[in-house]
Each structure stands twice: as structure tokens, then as C-alpha cells.
Amino acid sequence: MSAVFENEVVTQAHVRYLRVPGLAGELALITLDNGQDHTRPSTFGPGGLASLDAALDEVAAHSPAPVAIAVTGKPFIFAVGADLSGVPALTSAEDAREIAETGHRVFRRLTDGGVPTFAFVNGAAMGGGLELALHCRYRTIASTAVVAFPEVFLGLVPGWGGTQLLPDLVGIDAAVGVIVENALAQNKVTSGPRAAELGIADVVLEPADFLERSLEWAAGVLAGEVTVSRPEVDRSAWDDAIARARGIVAARTRGASPGALRAVELLDLARAGDTGFTAGTAAEDDALAELLMSDELRAGLYSFDLVNKRAKRPAGAPDRALARKVTKVGVVGAGLMASQLALLFVRRLEVPVVLTDIDQARVDKGVGYVHGELEELAGRGRLSPDALNRLTGLVTGSLSKDVFADADLVIEAVFEELSVKQQVLAEVEAVVSAECVLATNTSALSVTEMASKLEHPERVVGLHFFNPVAVLPLLEVVRAGQTDDATLATAFAVGKQLGKSCVLVADAPAFVVNRLLTRFLGEVTAAVDAGTPVAVAETALDPLGLPMTPFELLSLVGPPVALHVAERMHEAFPDRFGVGEGLRRMVELGKTSVFSEPGVIDPELVGIESGDSPLTAAELRSNAERALAEEIRLMLDEGVVQAVQDIDLAMLLGAGWPFWLGGISAYLDRVGVSEAVTGKRFLPRGVASLPA
């Protein structure tokens, strides 16, 4: 097993014995520390579990016997779970089962050791780290700590007792929320105070003197001065909570995630409580052994690696040293998208941001939107009064572009019409400095054409944000035909400051995400135009496990935007991209959805499926998958991105493609479509799948 995890950064379990006022004997404190700073959190591989096992052996042999054992972590980190670095090299279910059983055995020692045990959760506790804490009898938590079970997000299950211990501690409904609902909501974490409210922790303490206060609290518990009461778990709530969990899994994965389905089964087993714990953990062993040897889990780890490594070092980005400092930002336009951009810039950069538009009413509305959003954040306690006043003062509006004279970056977010954008950029260029970067938030137009009439086209770059701006983490950085390295480096630096994950894309029609989504949706709308019932088209792609159905996606994007991009793509590639008549009709009628109510086609849209060549669900799904494979291969051949990994990263972060699918290319490889359409896989076997 150690050979599989040969690159493990081993988390050492360091033991020391403390005399705590109020205790008759010593307390054994185990500190988990992998020797790295907080950017490399402590994890448990075979070496880490062996170290904890040895530490517990030492404590058991210590004389005199400690009166209690406490476990804590290094600064900012408790522990973040299993070390998954060696998983891609696992080749047998036996090795996978050994990982599961070892974790259970070692952690169980904290429950069965014969002395009270405490977890001092001083920082992030994720996955196996949280499971370790749950095996302890009592838990303190820092107000700044966060906890989560990310396993289902990756296509796995909590496998070291989490599915059995958490429901028995906080109740089944709260456990479903943490293990299933939060994981499938883009891995939402739970704050320390909220964890205490749920009952995951017994007390919240401030971080400044967290260890000292935790030791005092533990001494109070052991002396009987502090009483820890836990409400009895309502076993009658199980059926409703499990039904809710199944509904969440169906809605968010279309039933296509094996990990999510297994997690619900395991939670259902936990209704037996302590009496069923052994059977429940044995079922966890079975689930881990199977899921660790699944393509879906390997795909999930590939996704995780893309988001946590490749996104932090964007492929093709110029030297960071070339980036220019941005001390003021201009936003051309004051509509919703422009206002969202202004809010993001002022919150993240904390520099003056000025909006312009064609009349005072629009300007006032845009500035008012930003001010209102800042006030709402302050009202929720996310901005202090001083920060609110400072940021509000930084956002202003004007009717004149002269206010951009001292700006270092100006981004336009006006109507998607090439001539309008060319005119706007020319007007801005006339007043800004020679060093000012000019950016466009276009979703489909050519940035090169946009810059072609400028005196200095080399300073123009595309910054394609996704709506809603504050939520979606992707930023497509578009290098136009003459964009220079300093401009591009500044774009990447600003993107990082904004908290976005940047992907470098070439100036090709619709770039990456919109191009693929348009091709994908085009197959759906064409099928409906041909007579495929909307109800069939709505569910045909469920096996892909996407978080939204095609028509939910269409409503989110907005039919006018979808039509604009479809028309642009049809101009560029008429043989592959059509413009659906049903889509045109929706836009003409001002419809935002195909449905007037769930499952009911809008009466004014009845008839859009009146063609005489309907497809079955399987035929439509096949067409959509083949279209995606063809388009990805063409994009790679055209050099739109540096590698297929950038397409996967973009689809994960910009289109919400499920982590456990491993990005779009891994899915197409797994179902055999890549080879059938293009003659070869996008990724080598073993990269986002089981080894060959």
C-alpha cells in the first residue's frame, strides 16, 4: 500500500502530555501536522494513519495513564480527510478496502479507548478530518473553522464512519444537509458557529486563545463542572429525510452519480444507531472499495486536480512580472451585467470604480445597484460600517468618458453589437493613458475585430465573465490577434485578484463554454423543431447527470442571449450550428421559458414540436454527445485552448459540469463517444479513469 502512496506528505501525530489546572492527571494532546504551512492541509494516507495509530499506542502505554485524550491540528487546519494522491494508482479492490478498513480501525480507537476523548477543531475539518472529530466524545470548534463532507461532490462517500456517526449525533435531516445537500451545492462548507448550532460541535471558541480555552473547557467537562447535553435523535424522521435526500440527488445528478446514490443508502442504514454501527461501517467499507475502483471517482479526482492546481497556474499565461498595477477601473455601461462587474471590482480590488452610460437615469440606476448590494452585504454582517462607507465612496458614475483619463483598466459591457463596441472602445482610447488596458466582456463577438480600428489594438483583451458574476468562478481571458503580453499578464493578475479561475482562450467564435453549450443546445432545439416532444428533450440528457435540464439552462442563459450566440455561431460555422425556429419564436414572443408552469408548455409555444421526424431520447442523447465530441476535437485542432484540460476546467467552472463526471472530455471518453467520433480518446487511460 505504501508504494501506491509513495508521494504521500505524511501527517505526523505528535504527542505531548499536559498538566491542566483542575485535572487530577495528565491530558494527552495529539497534534496533527504534516510539516507544511496551511496551503498544504494535513491529510491521512497510509503513513498518516500509521502515525496516528502509533501515537495512540504510545498514549495507551504511558504511565501514569492520561485522564483524557485530545486531538487538534496545525495552525488554521484540523485535517482535511483522506490523502487522495495515491488513489489514481490503486489497481485492486483489495487495496481500496484496506484503506477503508484501516481508517475505521484507527479512528475507532478514539471511541473505544476507555478514556474521554476530545477534538479541538481549530481550523478546517473536511471529510476524514471531520470523521476523526466525530469519533471523539466531545468537540470544541474555533469560530473561524469550517467543516464539510466533500465526498459526494467528488463521486465518493464519507467512508470512515461519517454516514453513521453524523446522523446519530445531529439527526438525519441535518446529516442529509451536510453530507448530500451541501456537497451537491458546489461543496458548500459549514462555519464553526453553524456547526455548533447543528450539534456537530459542543462549544464555539475564539481562535486567538483557542487551545487554552479548549483545555479549560475539557477540564470543566471532566470535573463535572460543564454539562454537555445532546437532544435525543428523532428516529421517526428518517423516512422523510431519506426521501428528501433522494429528491436532492435526483434533481442535482439525475440519478447518474453512483457516489450520491450510495451515500443515501448509507444514511438510511444509520437509523439503527449504535446497534447498527458495525453493519453500517462495514457497508461503508463495501462502498469505498467499489467507488475507489470506479471511473467516476477517478474522474472526480481529475476535476479536483484541475480546479485546485491547473486553475491556479493558468496554462499559457505570460510572466506575472509583466502585469501592470490597477488603481482605478472604468466600466462602460450601467446595465445589470456592468453593475455586477462594478460591484465585483470594488469589493475585490478596493479601488475607485466609475460607470458611464448614455443617460443619467441609467448611470444612477447602475451606481444605485452597487450601493444597494453593498448595503445588503453590510446588513448581513459581511461588511463592517467602515468598509461599507469606504467602498460606497469608491463607486461613482458619469455621462462623460473623460472620467477614465486616469483609469488603468476600462471594461465595456454594452449591447452585443460589433459596431457599437468598436465605437465605445475608440471613444475610450481617445481619453485614457497609453498604459490603460481596454477589456471587453463580449460573449461571442471577435475581440480582434473589435480592436481592429484602434490606434493601439495590442492593449485590448477579452474578459468574459459568466452570469451571475459574483457566483460563477470562471473567467475566460481572450487573447486577440494583437494582444501583447503586458496586457494579457494584467488581465490574469486582475482575474486572480477578483477571485476568478482564469483560462486562456484564443479569439475564436464564442470561445469555449458558450461554443459548447450552443452546440449542445442546438441539438436539443433542432430535435424539438423536428417534432421531438419537449418532455422527451427535457429528460433525454439525464444520464449525463447535468445540474440543469436543457430548458432550465436555456431559461438561465436567457433566450435572447442564446439566440444571439446561435446566430453568431451559424455565421461562423453554418454546417454545424443552426438557429432553431422555436428559439426565434420564444424571443419574438418575449418568453423566458418553454413552460408556463412546471411540465406545461406555454400555450403560445404549443406547436414548436410539430415536425414529422421526432427522435427518441437515446437518439437525441447520442446526437448531443457526438456533437460535443466533434466540437471539442475541432477546438483543439484550432488551438482555442492550450489543452483539453482547459476545456474541462472551463466547463466545470463556467457551466456547472459535475465534478464526478470529470469534465466533458472524461465523460465522452468513458461512454466511448470520443473514439467513435474522432478516432481517439481525449485523455489517456488512467488520467480521469481507471488505469488501462
Side-chain angles (χ1 to χ4, degrees):
M1 181 65 65
S2 58
V4 173
F5 287 80
E6 60 183 358
N7 295 318
E8 178 185 357
V9 177
V10 176
T11 295
Q12 300 292 343
H14 304 285
V15 184
R16 52 185 173 136
Y17 300 92
L18 305 177
R19 286 283 181 179
V20 180
L23 292 187
E26 294 178 321
L27 179 144
L29 180 66
I30 299 174
T31 302
L32 307 171
D33 192 342
N34 64 359
Q36 308 288 312
D37 66 19
H38 68 280
T39 62
R40 183 66 185 262
S42 301
T43 56
F44 290 107
L49 290 172
S51 180
L52 178 59
D53 205 18
L56 293 171
D57 283 342
E58 179 190 326
V59 172
H62 187 73
S63 182
V67 297
I69 300 170
V71 183
T72 193
K74 67 181 183 180
F76 310 110
I77 303 292
F78 181 74
V80 298
D83 177 5
L84 300 176
S85 64
V87 171
L90 283 175
T91 57
S92 73
E94 290 73 21
D95 284 347
R97 179 174 291 278
E98 183 181 343
I99 292 173
E101 292 176 345
T102 301
H104 273 132
R105 180 185 63 77
V106 174
F107 286 3
R108 188 67 182 171
R109 295 186 67 181
L110 291 164
T111 305
D112 298 337
V115 298
T117 51
F118 296 81
F120 298 159
V121 183
N122 61 302
M126 311 285 188
L130 179 53
E131 287 172 303
L132 184 155
L134 292 174
H135 276 84
C136 296
R137 188 179 303 178
Y138 306 102
R139 284 160 293 281
T140 67
I141 195 165
S143 62
T144 51
V146 294
V147 302
F149 278 122
E151 286 86 350
V152 171
F153 183 60
L154 296 173
L156 203 53
V157 295
W160 286 339
T163 67
Q164 306 304 297
L165 291 169
L166 188 62
D168 206 40
L169 179 67
V170 302
I172 183 59
D173 197 66
V176 165
V178 174
I179 291 175
V180 177
E181 188 172 23
N182 287 358
L184 293 177
Q186 295 300 304
N187 199 21
K188 179 182 176 183
V189 300
T190 300
S191 69
R194 177 58 178 156
E197 289 176 13
L198 291 173
I200 295 173
D202 299 309
V203 64
V204 181
L205 302 170
E206 292 308 308
D209 55 355
F210 177 75
L211 180 57
E212 292 81 0
R213 298 289 81 79
S214 292
L215 290 167
E216 287 178 3
W217 185 85
V221 170
L222 294 170
E225 298 167 0
V226 174
T227 301
V228 177
S229 60
R230 294 176 182 145
E232 185 175 347
V233 170
D234 181 6
R235 303 288 166 187
S236 68
W238 234 265
D239 287 342
D240 287 345
I242 293 300
R244 187 172 80 86
R246 291 196 174 107
I248 293 167
V249 170
R252 298 187 183 175
T253 76
R254 312 297 167 193
S257 169
L261 295 170
R262 291 299 288 273
V264 175
E265 292 173 4
L266 291 167
L267 286 167
D268 198 13
L269 286 176
R271 73 173 71 214
D274 287 343
T275 60
F277 185 77
T278 299
T281 54
E284 283 185 342
D285 289 339
D286 292 340
L288 273 187
E290 292 173 24
L291 292 170
L292 285 171
M293 294 306 297
S294 70
D295 282 329
E296 286 83 0
L297 186 273
R298 307 306 172 94
L301 296 181
Y302 166 73
S303 298
F304 186 79
D305 192 63
L306 290 179
V307 170
N308 287 278
K309 294 180 180 178
R310 192 175 185 91
K312 291 176 172 55
R313 294 182 293 276
D319 188 338
R320 298 174 188 173
L322 296 173
R324 302 187 184 112
K325 189 173 179 62
V326 173
T327 61
K328 180 178 178 179
V329 174
V331 181
V332 185
L336 181 58
M337 190 68 180
S339 300
Q340 289 184 72
L341 291 173
L343 176 65
L344 179 67
F345 277 107
V346 76
R347 285 198 66 201
R348 293 288 188 163
L349 302 189
E350 298 188 0
V351 300
V353 177
V354 58
L355 299 93
T356 66
D357 214 313
I358 58 175
D359 61 54
Q360 193 63 47
R362 284 185 171 91
V363 171
D364 292 344
K365 184 177 180 181
V367 173
Y369 170 87
V370 180
H371 288 175
E373 290 293 307
L374 292 172
E375 289 170 2
E376 185 176 329
L377 288 167
R380 300 206 308 264
R382 296 181 61 187
L383 281 180
S384 68
D386 285 346
L388 172 62
N389 290 335
R390 185 176 70 256
L391 296 182
T392 298
L394 289 172
V395 181
T396 58
S398 174
L399 291 177
S400 171
K401 294 183 177 63
D402 291 344
V403 292
F404 298 148
D406 57 345
D408 303 297
L409 184 147
V410 177
I411 184 168
E412 69 76 22
V414 299
F415 183 68
E416 281 283 283
E417 177 62 50
L418 182 61
S419 61
V420 174
K421 291 180 180 289
Q422 287 176 327
Q423 179 184 341
V424 162
L425 291 179
E427 292 171 355
V428 173
E429 186 180 46
V431 299
V432 298
S433 70
E435 300 292 300
C436 182
V437 171
L438 303 183
T440 171
N441 183 50
T442 183
S443 58
L445 298 176
S446 168
V447 181
T448 302
E449 289 182 42
M450 213 176 291
S452 62
K453 297 182 180 180
L454 297 181
E455 186 176 343
H456 295 288
E458 69 278 0
R459 65 158 106 187
V460 179
V461 64
L463 292 180
H464 182 214
F465 293 86
F466 290 78
N467 194 18
V469 172
V471 176
L472 290 176
L474 178 66
L475 177 60
E476 290 180 334
V477 178
V478 186
R479 182 166 205 160
Q482 296 187 56
T483 307
D484 63 24
D485 282 351
T487 296
L488 202 61
T490 304
F492 275 102
V494 167
K496 184 175 182 180
Q497 286 179 278
L498 295 175
K500 299 300 181 183
S501 295
C502 300
V503 172
L504 177 64
V505 301
D507 186 22
F511 316 126
V512 173
V513 174
N514 281 354
R515 179 167 170 175
L516 287 177
L517 289 183
T518 302
R519 185 79 197 271
F520 177 74
L521 281 174
E523 293 297 327
V524 175
T525 57
V528 172
D529 286 346
T532 303
V534 167
V536 172
E538 180 77 336
T539 59
L541 306 179
D542 282 1
L544 277 69
L546 296 174
M548 287 180 284
T549 67
F551 293 114
E552 288 173 342
L553 176 62
L554 180 60
S555 294
L556 178 67
V557 171
V561 173
L563 178 62
H564 166 74
V565 178
E567 289 174 338
R568 167 68 180 145
M569 297 307 294
H570 180 66
E571 292 171 7
F573 308 115
D575 58 325
R576 301 196 309 278
F577 289 83
V579 182
E581 289 306 311
L583 179 58
R584 285 192 192 278
R585 187 170 163 190
M586 286 184 69
V587 174
E588 289 168 359
L589 294 172
K591 301 297 182 181
T592 58
S593 173
V594 172
F595 304 107
S596 57
E597 58 183 274
V600 179
I601 298 177
D602 188 300
E604 293 184 76
L605 294 176
V606 171
I608 60 171
E609 50 189 19
S610 60
D612 56 6
S613 302
L615 301 179
T616 65
E619 289 169 336
L620 175 50
R621 182 166 60 253
S622 175
N623 287 354
E625 291 170 348
R626 294 179 68 86
L628 286 169
E630 179 186 33
E631 207 61 35
I632 291 170
R633 179 59 64 196
L634 290 168
M635 291 164 71
L636 294 173
D637 292 344
E638 294 166 15
V640 175
V641 291
Q642 303 291 300
V644 72
Q645 285 85 351
D646 293 318
I647 292 176
D648 288 332
L649 179 60
M651 294 300 282
L652 288 165
L653 299 181
W657 205 268
F659 257 55
W660 47 267
L661 280 181
I664 180 62
S665 74
Y667 169 81
L668 294 172
D669 283 346
R670 188 161 61 251
V671 296
V673 174
S674 305
E675 290 178 275
V677 174
T678 74
K680 56 183 177 180
R681 296 170 60 91
F682 290 116
L683 296 165
R685 291 190 184 277
V687 171
S689 60
L690 291 169

